[in-house]
Amino acid sequence: MEMLVVAEVVKPHGLRGEVCIESHADSPFLFDEVPCLYLAKKGQKPRRFVVRSSRKHKGRMLLTFKGVEGRDEAEALRGMEILVREKDLPETGDDEVYMHELEGMAVELEDGTVVGTISNFILAPGQETWVISSSEGKEILFPAVEEFVLSVDLDAEKIVVAPPEGLLDIYLAEKKDNGKKNK
């Protein structure tokens, strides 16, 4: 069963078993659209939870689960990863993809120059960053925003990008003087 990490429990909220989560999903509705979520500490077997309610609060999501009734039970969930079964994910729209579908895809410039392959993601509030590994083994941090991502072709496993001027040079330029200034 393929499972994907979509969030993590940050802390309990209030006294009635609600938890504050850090969501990695673009859609706040994801938690209402899946039949259940799975929670697990790293390396442990996930446990199934059914979402009773979800709501936005100060830029984060608050969830309540069936069977989690008080602050102590919510506290026990702190730090757990929230996973969803891949088959439970809602269908994507025409111009939408899930991040896990992008991993391993080739990244090229408009002229066909290969930049590298997507190896990881960094998620900060309001900013998705792709970690692209170049053929030389260097990591490029690429802001995955609409103006820089020209096309995503899932069938060809290829992404065409137009990075901001100078971005690739920062990561790919050879350091000639190892940071020492010549006098």
Side-chain angles (χ1 to χ4, degrees):
M1 177 170 62
E2 189 67 31
M3 301 190 79
L4 303 165
V5 176
V6 293
E8 66 183 56
V9 178
V10 178
K11 61 184 180 181
H13 180 82
L15 302 174
R16 296 196 177 99
E18 200 168 35
V19 292
C20 177
I21 68 163
E22 183 66 49
S23 175
H24 306 316
D26 278 347
S27 170
F29 306 110
L30 170 72
F31 303 103
D32 296 328
E33 294 176 11
V34 295
C36 61
L37 295 170
Y38 293 81
L39 274 67
K41 291 220 184 283
K42 284 199 188 322
Q44 292 184 348
K45 186 174 187 277
R47 290 185 8 228
R48 183 177 186 271
F49 285 84
V50 174
V51 176
R52 188 166 49 205
S53 68
S54 67
R55 64 187 174 103
K56 277 186 106 67
H57 177 72
K58 295 184 178 176
R60 286 203 166 135
M61 291 294 297
L62 298 177
L63 300 180
T64 54
F65 297 108
K66 288 184 179 165
V68 177
E69 300 303 331
R71 186 169 182 91
D72 290 344
E73 289 179 39
E75 178 64 49
L77 304 179
R78 182 191 293 260
M80 287 192 172
E81 291 181 328
I82 300 175
L83 303 106
V84 66
R85 291 184 301 199
E86 190 172 345
K87 69 177 189 164
D88 290 341
L89 289 170
E91 289 291 316
T92 54
D94 287 344
D95 60 346
E96 298 175 318
V97 295
Y98 286 113
M99 281 189 301
H100 72 275
E101 296 176 298
L102 302 177
E103 200 162 343
M105 287 182 74
V107 180
E108 298 179 359
L109 301 177
E110 285 179 276
D111 65 7
T113 304
V114 175
V115 177
T117 57
I118 295 184
S119 59
N120 207 342
F121 306 95
I122 298 172
L123 300 164
Q127 175 70 53
E128 178 183 318
T129 301
W130 295 343
V131 179
I132 302 172
S133 297
S134 74
S135 57
E136 297 85 37
K138 296 187 177 176
E139 283 192 342
I140 300 160
L141 301 181
F142 188 84
V145 294
E146 204 172 320
E147 62 193 280
F148 303 144
V149 179
L150 302 180
S151 68
V152 174
D153 186 336
L154 288 175
D155 295 328
E157 295 192 8
K158 183 173 82 172
I159 300 169
V160 178
V161 298
E165 192 174 331
L167 177 78
L168 296 181
D169 297 337
I170 294 169
Y171 295 103
L172 301 178
E174 292 298 320
K175 291 185 174 64
K176 292 180 179 71
D177 61 359
N178 293 329
K180 294 178 185 150
K181 297 278 186 234
N182 295 332
K183 292 190 177 182

